């Protein structure tokens, strides 16, 4: 029996044409559906940030999860990491051009949520009352 990739594993596009996890749309949604991705991209939309600033912006994130998420965003080409001189050396993160290109669709999703959250909450209440 062939082994299946773990949920959320991003595979190269075209790897196993019959495997639905290789679909670019699913890979993009998996990247953005991560709990901290949008929070960090939004924090970086204001410009370069240091690790501690990102930890403060992502209230509740552990250092381990922040490190893992930043590495993943760097691997995907959305975030660039720069080691700063000094003792001890610091690290700064910034959005790449690719990462910046995500801000407009993310803001559209946020705007949609702000416009329609009351309707969503009403639908939930109606559903839960059945």
């Amino acid at each position: 029996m062939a082994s299946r990739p773990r949920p959320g594993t991003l595979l190269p596009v075209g790897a196993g044409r019959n495997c639905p996890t290789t679909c670019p749309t699913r890979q993009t949604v998996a990247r953005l559906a991560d709990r901290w991705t949008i929070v960090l991209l939004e924090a970086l939309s204001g410009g370069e940030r240091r690790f501690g600033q990102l930890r403060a912006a992502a209230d509740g994130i552990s250092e381990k999860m922040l490190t893992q998420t930043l590495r993943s965003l760097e691997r995907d080409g959305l975030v660039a990491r720069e080691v700063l001189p000094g003792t001890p050396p610091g690290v700064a993160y910034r959005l790449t051009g690719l990462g910046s290109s995500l801000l407009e669709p993310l803001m559209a999703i946020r705007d949609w949520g702000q416009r329609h959250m009351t309707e969503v909450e009403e639908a939930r209440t109606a559903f839960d009352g059945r």
Side-chain angles (χ1 to χ4, degrees), residues 50 83-91:
R50 296 188 60 151
V83 178
L84 304 172
T87 307
V91 178

Side-chain angles (χ1 to χ4, degrees), residues 47-121:
E48 185 175 278
R49 299 282 184 261
R50 296 188 60 151
F51 188 87
Q53 293 171 310
L54 291 171
R55 185 176 53 226
D59 187 34
I61 194 170
S62 68
E63 286 195 23
K64 179 181 177 182
M65 184 53 63
L66 177 56
T67 299
Q68 288 176 347
T69 304
L70 287 168
R71 281 186 185 153
S72 181
L73 290 169
E74 185 180 10
R75 180 176 183 255
D76 288 347
L78 302 175
V79 169
R81 177 180 184 269
E82 178 186 358
V83 178
L84 304 172
T87 307
V91 178
Y93 297 88
R94 64 172 175 76
L95 289 179
T96 63
L98 186 61
S100 293
S101 73
L102 264 175
L103 295 178
E104 184 178 347
L106 290 178
M107 295 310 118
I109 292 169
R110 183 197 326 167
D111 291 346
W112 183 92
Q114 289 172 343
R115 281 193 315 273
H116 298 287
M117 199 61 215
T118 300
E119 295 169 72
V120 171
E121 289 171 350

Side-chain angles (χ1 to χ4, degrees), residues 3-11 21 26 30:
S3 65
R4 294 179 52 178
R6 289 182 43 211
T9 301
L10 299 179
L11 300 173
T21 59
R26 285 190 63 181

